[in-house]
């Protein structure tokens, strides 16, 4: 399972990269706004800065919602850096744009996916990644992990190459649940990734090891 970090915060991206487990980054317009990145030139420069920190795929989202606009923005983003993945929403023109990019060899991440049917269309259009938003489904008393499980099942059944990128992850437990249902990728805030490290028995065990060592060696 690949680990992506879901942020535009350069310090968080660096910290995850330094851990040695980072496979890529996902961003969206809200995450860019959270970091105060505005204006086309600044936004493009920020994507380049992210690409310089990580080795893997970096999702950069189009703002346009019409086909011509998505193609124009997507081509600019893809030309920015070889690691850029063009992030496109699952709307009618989005599917057409994904097909267009797929034919041109430009990699895509189909975003804002909330149903297996949307994921099926994304795969048919040739998306590189599909992003089911599991946390936002949980927020409305639906079952986000069940959606990830169903998409994995459908893609495996037909052998689709599209990778299931579980997004809108809100907790460490979400990451574990995604691993259990076979998500290809999770994208998560740094905090939820670091949460995987935590166990009170690890802390207690380490404390005891050091105490016992120091009894004889100090
Ligand atoms: O990258 C998109 C997704 O991860 C958004 O997460 O927490 O805003 O639902 P969230």
């Amino acid at each position: 399972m690949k680990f992506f970090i879901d942020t535009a915060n350069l310090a968080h991206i660096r910290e995850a990269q330094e851990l040695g487990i980072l496979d890529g980054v996902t961003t969206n317009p809200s995450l860019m706004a959270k970091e105060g990145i505005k204006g086309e030139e600044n936004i493009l420069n920020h994507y380049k800065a992210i690409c310089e920190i990580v080795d893997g795929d970096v999702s950069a989202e189009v703002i346009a919602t019409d086909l011509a606009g998505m193609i124009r923005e997507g081509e600019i983003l893809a030309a920015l850096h070889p690691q850029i993945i063009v992030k496109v929403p699952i709307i009618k023109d989005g599917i057409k744009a994904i097909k267009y990019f797929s034919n041109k060899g430009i990699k895509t991440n189909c975003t804002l996916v909330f149903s297996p049917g949307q994921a099926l269309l994304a795969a048919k259009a040739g998306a590189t990644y599909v992003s089911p938003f599991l946390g936002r489904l949980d927020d409305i008393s639906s079952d986000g992990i069940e959606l990830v499980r169903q998409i994995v099942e459908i893609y495996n059944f037909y052998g689709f190459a599209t990778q299931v990128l579980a997004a809108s992850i809100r907790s460490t437990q979400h990451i574990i649940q995604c691993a259990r249902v076979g998500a290809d990728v999770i994208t998560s805030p740094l905090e939820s990734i670091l949460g995987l490290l935590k166990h009170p028995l690890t802390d207690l065990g380490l404390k005891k090891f050091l105490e016992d060592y120091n009894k004889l060696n100090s």
Side-chain angles (χ1 to χ4, degrees):
M1 187 171 74
K2 290 188 210 165
F3 272 52
F4 288 2
I5 188 167
D6 194 29
T7 184
N9 182 293
L10 298 183
H12 286 188
I13 294 169
R14 266 190 215 99
E15 189 173 337
Q17 174 68 19
E18 282 163 12
L19 255 185
I21 51 82
L22 193 63
D23 299 299
V25 178
T26 52
T27 63
N28 62 41
S30 304
L31 293 171
M32 294 292 271
K34 195 173 164 194
E35 300 307 316
I37 316 297
K38 59 178 181 180
E40 191 181 340
E41 199 182 331
N42 288 335
I43 290 172
L44 296 180
N45 284 337
H46 201 75
Y47 287 138
K48 275 200 264 185
I50 293 173
C51 291
E52 277 158 25
I53 298 172
V54 298
D55 301 322
D57 291 346
V58 174
S59 287
E61 189 157 342
V62 297
I63 304 298
T65 53
D66 64 295
L67 180 60
M70 283 189 266
I71 288 175
R72 181 172 29 80
E73 289 179 18
E75 286 183 335
I76 292 171
L77 290 168
L80 204 57
H81 197 282
Q83 285 166 241
I84 292 283
I85 306 294
V86 180
K87 204 169 176 186
V88 178
I90 178 73
I91 53 177
K92 201 189 272 182
D93 274 3
I95 285 296
K96 293 179 193 171
I98 289 168
K99 183 72 188 172
Y100 171 88
F101 291 132
S102 166
N103 287 340
K104 289 198 77 178
I106 293 174
K107 292 182 180 172
T108 53
N109 175 356
C110 183
T111 190
L112 288 167
V113 166
F114 292 95
S115 77
Q118 291 176 324
L120 189 54
L121 280 178
K124 288 285 292 177
T128 313
Y129 296 103
V130 67
S131 288
F133 275 30
L134 64 102
R136 291 191 193 183
L137 280 173
D138 288 1
D139 287 346
I140 57 160
S141 302
S142 199
D143 189 343
I145 291 296
E146 177 56 18
L147 172 63
V148 177
R149 193 194 63 72
Q150 287 184 20
I151 298 172
V152 169
E153 178 184 69
I154 291 167
Y155 284 10
N156 285 345
F157 194 77
Y158 290 104
F160 282 121
T162 304
Q163 297 176 57
V164 181
L165 194 172
S168 184
I169 282 182
R170 304 283 174 73
S171 66
T172 299
Q173 192 55 26
H174 269 158
I175 300 177
I176 303 293
Q177 289 172 317
C178 286
R180 294 191 65 186
V181 299
D184 298 292
V185 190
I186 59 91
T187 190
S188 155
L190 180 62
E191 200 186 2
S192 304
I193 295 174
L194 294 179
L196 292 167
L197 281 169
K198 291 182 191 162
H199 199 288
L201 291 179
T202 303
D203 298 339
L204 277 175
L206 186 59
K207 187 167 172 281
K208 178 83 168 76
F209 285 158
L210 294 178
E211 280 169 3
D212 290 344
Y213 175 86
N214 285 329
K215 270 183 214 159
L216 293 185
N217 295 283
S218 56

